[in-house]
Amino acid sequence: MPVYSMTGYASAQLTPETATAPTDTPCVRLGLEIRAVNSRFLDLTFRLPEELRAQEPALRALLSRHLKRGKVEVRAAIEQDASASLSTPSIALLQRLNMVQEHIQAWLPSAKALSVADALRLAGNSAPTTTDWASILSPLAEEAVTALLDARAREGKRLAKTLLDRIAQLRELAAQATPLVPQLVEQQRQRFLERWQEAMGLAQGQVPAEAAQDRALSEATAFAIRIDVAEEITRLDAHLDELERLLKKGGEIGKRLDFLIQELHREANTLGSKSATLELTRISVDMKVLIEQMREQVQNIE
């Protein structure tokens, strides 16, 4: 199953051919476009002309079936062909307009006569509207939604690849951190022993040698416990495994990825707080940079 981005754009156009329309019906073009950006929930906005207002529930149901998250804006426009907009009124209609005009002027002698523009406007308003917008808009909306899903899938594939690259880099940093702690513990152990040996020399035998050595080893052990990051590295590896599994599985994984990114950041912070060397500090900072980059990408995944 693909990974879907919440960002995408799609458009579709259609010229309706209505068999029941009269020959002088103006040719129109219906355009539909969908824009989507990231959002925590599914937020649908419609900007439709009056002729299509009744189709909003059907459009909302269609989008809700295919999209789960994102701020989605749907725009539709009906464009009339200018070359066909001036249709010739029928003789019967013109006779009817003339009859109405004579009737009005009989009662209102001061009323102005109809102009050509008035006659064309009244003839256009009286023309029957036979366009079945529901049957026209439905396949057009399906086409646009399919194109939007394809665009979101392509963007999601790029996001998944970027995240997998960052996961590989985090694994390398974790591998660099793992052998540093035992080395540091051994160095600190030797340092404690040397200090206690110096202290024993200053004490001139007043403190038993075994007790001094035991104290030095106890201090070294306490130090090792304070700086041990093995648990953090183990949890970090587990989170990376789960992230990789979800990215390969696909589907609606955005919220779970976001939670795992928070956990990764927590482990990197803990690793930095336990750092006793500049090398571990550098690794922690590099991890935080990569995790922050991943967070920005995850915010766009559905």
Side-chain angles (χ1 to χ4, degrees):
M1 193 172 184
V3 174
Y4 287 105
S5 168
M6 285 187 282
T7 303
Y9 172 82
S11 63
Q13 293 81 34
L14 181 68
T15 300
E17 299 293 338
T18 54
T20 58
T23 57
D24 58 352
T25 298
C27 178
V28 295
R29 178 179 298 276
L30 173 61
L32 184 70
E33 66 175 22
I34 306 176
R35 302 172 184 267
V37 295
N38 61 316
S39 177
R40 293 182 60 191
F41 308 102
L42 182 60
D43 183 7
L44 302 177
T45 303
F46 297 89
R47 301 185 183 278
L48 307 175
E50 290 299 327
E51 296 88 340
L52 302 179
R53 289 290 184 186
Q55 309 308 318
E56 181 176 329
L59 288 173
R60 186 178 296 275
L62 173 64
L63 291 169
S64 299
R65 284 201 308 270
H66 293 283
L67 308 177
K68 302 305 177 184
R69 295 176 64 200
K71 182 176 178 60
V72 183
E73 182 182 33
V74 180
R75 290 176 176 267
I78 300 175
E79 300 177 0
Q80 183 170 320
D81 188 356
S83 62
S85 59
L86 294 177
S87 57
T88 302
S90 65
I91 296 177
L93 180 58
L94 292 175
Q95 290 175 343
R96 175 64 178 168
L97 289 175
N98 186 58
M99 185 185 303
V100 172
Q101 176 180 249
E102 290 177 351
H103 181 72
I104 293 175
Q105 288 180 334
W107 289 92
L108 300 173
S110 61
K112 294 182 179 179
L114 289 174
S115 65
V116 175
D118 293 335
L120 288 174
R121 177 173 54 81
L122 293 173
N125 290 338
S126 63
T129 301
T130 58
T131 304
D132 184 3
W133 292 114
S135 62
I136 295 172
L137 186 61
S138 179
L140 188 65
E142 290 281 359
E143 178 185 344
V145 170
T146 300
L148 178 66
L149 291 176
D150 291 342
R152 285 163 62 121
R154 290 192 299 269
E155 178 66 18
K157 185 177 181 180
R158 289 192 289 268
L159 292 177
K161 184 179 183 302
T162 300
L163 289 172
L164 290 173
D165 291 341
R166 299 294 185 272
I167 288 174
Q169 295 178 44
L170 285 172
R171 291 191 189 279
E172 292 178 4
L173 290 173
Q176 295 174 20
T178 301
L180 291 178
V181 174
Q183 297 173 8
L184 183 61
V185 170
E186 182 59 27
Q187 293 173 4
Q188 192 67 21
R189 176 177 173 277
Q190 293 298 329
R191 190 176 295 114
F192 277 133
L193 288 175
E194 291 172 1
R195 289 179 179 176
W196 278 105
Q197 288 173 0
E198 293 176 1
M200 286 291 297
L202 295 175
Q204 298 179 352
Q206 296 180 8
V207 179
E210 293 183 358
Q213 185 175 9
D214 289 344
R215 180 64 182 274
L217 292 176
S218 298
E219 292 290 340
T221 301
F223 175 78
I225 293 174
R226 288 197 304 272
I227 68 168
D228 185 17
V229 294
E231 185 176 350
E232 285 74 17
I233 296 296
T234 299
R235 287 199 295 265
L236 190 141
D237 285 335
H239 297 329
L240 292 178
D241 290 341
E242 181 64 10
L243 278 168
E244 191 169 355
R245 186 189 71 82
L246 289 173
L247 289 171
K248 292 180 179 178
K249 175 186 174 184
E252 302 168 28
I253 59 174
K255 292 183 178 180
R256 299 183 65 180
L257 292 179
D258 187 58
F259 171 77
L260 289 171
I261 292 297
Q262 295 179 30
E263 294 301 309
L264 282 178
H265 199 274
R266 182 178 293 109
E267 301 305 335
N269 274 335
T270 305
L271 189 147
S273 65
K274 289 186 174 182
S275 174
T277 64
L278 291 176
E279 184 63 16
L280 271 176
T281 301
R282 179 194 65 79
I283 291 175
S284 173
V285 171
D286 289 346
M287 282 185 172
K288 290 179 184 179
V289 171
L290 290 172
I291 293 170
E292 190 59 34
Q293 292 174 354
M294 294 175 68
R295 185 198 302 276
E296 294 177 0
Q297 303 298 329
V298 164
Q299 297 300 320
N300 288 319
I301 294 181
E302 186 175 56

